Amino acid sequence: MKRSKYYRYGAFILAAVMLLFAFPQAYAQSSEKPNVILMLSDNVGYGDIGAFQGGEIRGMPTPRIDQLASDGLTLTQFMTEPGCTPSRAGLQTGRYAHRSGLGSIIVKGSPNTLQPEEITLAEIFKSQGYATAMTGKWHLGADEKSHPVNQGYDEYRVGVLETSDSTLYRANMERAGLPEAVIKAGVPQGTKVGPILFVIMINDLTTCCNAYKYVDDTTLVSSGSKGIADSLQLAATEANAWSQNNHMAINPIKTKELLFSFSKEHPGIPPITLDNQEIDSVKSAKLLGVTLSADLRWECHISNVYNKAVQRVHYITLLRRAGIMSSDLVKVYLAIIRPTMEYACQVWHPGLTQEQCRMLESIQKRVLRVIHPDKTYQEALECTNVPLLRDRREELCKSLFEDMTDPSHKMHHLVPPKRQSKYITRNPKVYSVPVWRTDRPKKTFMTYALTHFQ
């Protein structure tokens, strides 16, 4: 399991169980005992759910979990173990995981396992007359004595006894009770070879339009002034038929149409349909982490990047209060905040306005002000050896362009041919810079690179 910080989510759920045991008298007076459902999720980040500034902002609404948080008790100061086995051991036994011999993640061949003498959450519930059941991931040891049915649970439904990574193997999937249709369908999401296998599965997907495929994201592109509607509809129909023939399904709700048109009048393209359901036509859509807008401007993308980075600035504040050294705080910033502000910057940096540049730079200013409150921004940059974000993006763009000039580079075909001249001229440029009548093409990566980096 990744070293995820899901302590807020875990705190909210665990609190319900803790309060149940803290006030047993309240339930003793009732003739009917309450039902208790306890959920634990792997790899849920601090800001992944809506109750903690995530959810819809992160592209994954969590309305039901948010409702649980709103109706119940939410703790904001809570920490779990940074691994699945220790977290689960602590939750089941109520003790520090190392006291149960489960302070590290159990891997295949590990002798560590949950011992019979441990008192588990299920055993406490059973002592109060509850029926108990477990479903999902266990990961507290492969020995039979540590299995859920031997640790207080009456039933163990479909689930994974070991790490979820091992569910890739057929034998483990069969032991977990997964039906044959699921086993043959592919591999569980999150496995290391899953993306590679999916790429192989969709390799033969072809349509009448250009198709750009990246794992489970496929983008169909058509351009022109005539026949574009017919070609896109035909391509969508072909992709849908291919999916059905290969036992897959396209989700019409998540499929979007994004139209780029700069004519004064709307082109009047009819909506595309999948199985008689219209696909939404949107003004912006996220493609591989970059938000594209119909006007080819970057306001929406920069706003998303800014909001994502702002949420993480609070980490620096909490770590500084905890007494973490300034040099380590800088490393945290460079590892988890700055990358969000420069992801795929080669695509959008040439088209940024000065205001958008200042907007992004303000994040770095805030971080360095937290780390070095007694220094100016320029002094903090020099002290930490961190460049301006604009200079950093310029360097990344230049580096990509230089790599692309190598004939062996995958995107070398985008670089124009070298200039051919018998004479030595004052123009030192190796490649010709295209001349455009409007400013929009000048803000593309290649034109920008040809103008600034040669």
Side-chain angles (χ1 to χ4, degrees), residues 316 325-335 367-368 371-372 384 386:
I316 304 296
M325 295 177 58
S326 298
S327 58
D328 291 332
L329 293 177
V330 173
K331 292 177 182 177
V332 173
Y333 164 69
L334 298 179
V367 171
L368 294 184
I371 298 175
H372 293 290
T384 57
V386 173

Side-chain angles (χ1 to χ4, degrees), residues 29-153:
Q29 299 173 1
S30 175
S31 60
E32 194 172 319
K33 295 180 180 179
N35 294 321
V36 179
I37 300 176
L38 179 62
M39 298 178 292
L40 177 64
S41 177
D42 272 5
N43 301 331
V44 175
Y46 175 87
D48 283 350
I49 64 175
F52 300 106
Q53 294 76 52
E56 189 170 356
I57 296 177
R58 301 290 298 272
M60 185 184 66
T62 55
R64 292 173 179 81
I65 294 178
D66 299 345
Q67 187 65 40
L68 286 174
S70 175
D71 295 344
L73 176 66
T74 303
L75 302 184
T76 58
Q77 299 293 328
F78 186 86
M79 291 293 291
T80 69
E81 297 279 357
C84 38
T85 297
S87 297
R88 295 169 185 279
L91 183 61
Q92 290 292 337
T93 66
R95 303 203 301 159
Y96 290 119
H98 67 269
R99 294 183 176 177
S100 305
L102 298 172
S104 60
I105 298 174
I106 295 177
V107 296
K108 188 173 182 179
S110 172
N112 298 341
T113 189
L114 186 61
Q115 299 300 317
E117 57 268 21
E118 292 289 346
I119 300 175
T120 65
L121 199 61
E123 291 171 331
I124 295 176
F125 271 96
K126 281 182 67 68
S127 68
Q128 299 298 315
Y130 276 86
T132 58
M134 163 76 184
T135 183
K137 181 179 176 180
W138 180 246
H139 204 186
L140 290 175
D143 287 357
E144 188 174 347
K145 61 185 178 183
S146 72
H147 289 183
V149 293
N150 295 320
Q151 293 288 347
Y153 289 95

Side-chain angles (χ1 to χ4, degrees), residues 136-431:
K137 181 179 176 180
W138 180 246
H139 204 186
L140 290 175
D143 287 357
E144 188 174 347
K145 61 185 178 183
S146 72
H147 289 183
V149 293
N150 295 320
Q151 293 288 347
Y153 289 95
D154 298 324
E155 299 180 62
Y156 178 59
R157 300 297 179 90
V158 173
V160 182
L161 288 171
E162 303 93 357
T163 170
S164 54
D165 294 339
S166 66
T167 55
L168 170 65
Y169 305 106
R170 182 182 181 90
N172 290 340
M173 295 173 73
E174 291 175 343
R175 187 165 65 252
L178 297 178
E180 186 68 17
V182 173
I183 296 174
K184 288 184 175 180
V187 297
Q189 188 174 11
T191 54
K192 295 179 180 178
V193 299
I196 299 175
L197 295 179
F198 200 93
V199 168
I200 296 174
M201 293 169 65
I202 66 170
N203 190 51
D204 61 342
L205 169 60
T206 57
T207 68
C208 63
C209 294
N210 292 328
Y212 300 94
K213 295 175 282 188
Y214 184 83
V215 192
D216 59 344
D217 285 327
T218 298
T219 303
L220 304 179
V221 179
S222 181
S223 61
S225 56
K226 296 181 180 180
I228 182 174
D230 295 336
S231 62
L232 279 175
Q233 180 60 67
L234 178 59
T237 302
E238 291 173 342
N240 194 36
W242 179 93
S243 300
Q244 294 175 355
N245 292 336
N246 288 272
H247 309 288
M248 300 183 189
I250 296 177
N251 189 343
I253 298 177
K254 292 185 177 181
T255 304
K256 308 297 180 184
E257 176 195 27
L258 182 59
L259 177 64
F260 302 98
S261 176
F262 301 100
S263 61
K264 295 182 179 179
E265 298 180 358
H266 191 276
I269 296 177
I272 299 172
T273 61
L274 281 176
D275 295 329
N276 298 322
Q277 182 175 345
E278 289 188 4
I279 295 175
D280 291 337
S281 181
V282 296
K283 295 297 184 180
S284 64
K286 183 174 288 189
L287 179 62
L288 302 182
V290 177
T291 304
L292 300 178
S293 300
D295 58 4
L296 291 181
R297 299 178 186 273
W298 298 108
E299 283 87 352
C300 187
H301 177 70
I302 297 302
S303 177
N304 292 339
V305 170
Y306 179 85
N307 292 334
K308 187 175 183 179
V310 162
Q311 294 174 9
R312 301 186 179 190
V313 172
H314 187 55
Y315 299 165
I316 304 296
T317 302
L318 294 177
L319 291 172
R320 190 175 189 280
R321 290 175 182 172
I324 304 300
M325 295 177 58
S326 298
S327 58
D328 291 332
L329 293 177
V330 173
K331 292 177 182 177
V332 173
Y333 164 69
L334 298 179
I336 68 172
I337 301 180
R338 191 175 73 174
T340 65
M341 298 188 289
E342 59 187 25
Y343 170 75
C345 66
Q346 296 89 341
V347 176
W348 45 266
H349 170 67
L352 293 187
T353 64
Q354 291 185 358
E355 179 58 32
Q356 290 165 352
C357 288
R358 286 194 292 266
M359 189 175 178
L360 293 178
E361 199 71 38
S362 67
I363 299 293
Q364 184 163 277
K365 286 184 179 180
R366 288 177 59 179
V367 171
L368 294 184
R369 190 182 304 121
V370 172
I371 298 175
H372 293 290
D374 57 334
K375 298 182 184 295
T376 64
Y377 182 47
Q378 187 60 40
E379 291 173 343
L381 291 174
E382 296 173 357
C383 177
T384 57
N385 197 28
V386 173
L388 292 169
L389 289 179
R390 177 180 177 82
D391 293 345
R392 166 78 175 172
R393 294 194 301 271
E394 283 279 310
E395 188 60 34
L396 292 173
C397 290
K398 181 179 180 181
S399 176
L400 176 60
F401 175 70
E402 292 176 347
D403 290 343
M404 291 173 62
T405 58
D406 184 346
S408 63
H409 195 275
K410 292 182 178 180
M411 293 190 293
H412 179 71
H413 64 281
L414 299 176
V415 180
K418 292 184 178 181
R419 300 174 60 208
Q420 301 294 332
S421 177
K422 298 183 296 183
Y423 307 101
I424 299 176
T425 64
R426 295 181 180 179
N427 187 354
K429 297 185 183 299
V430 178
Y431 304 95

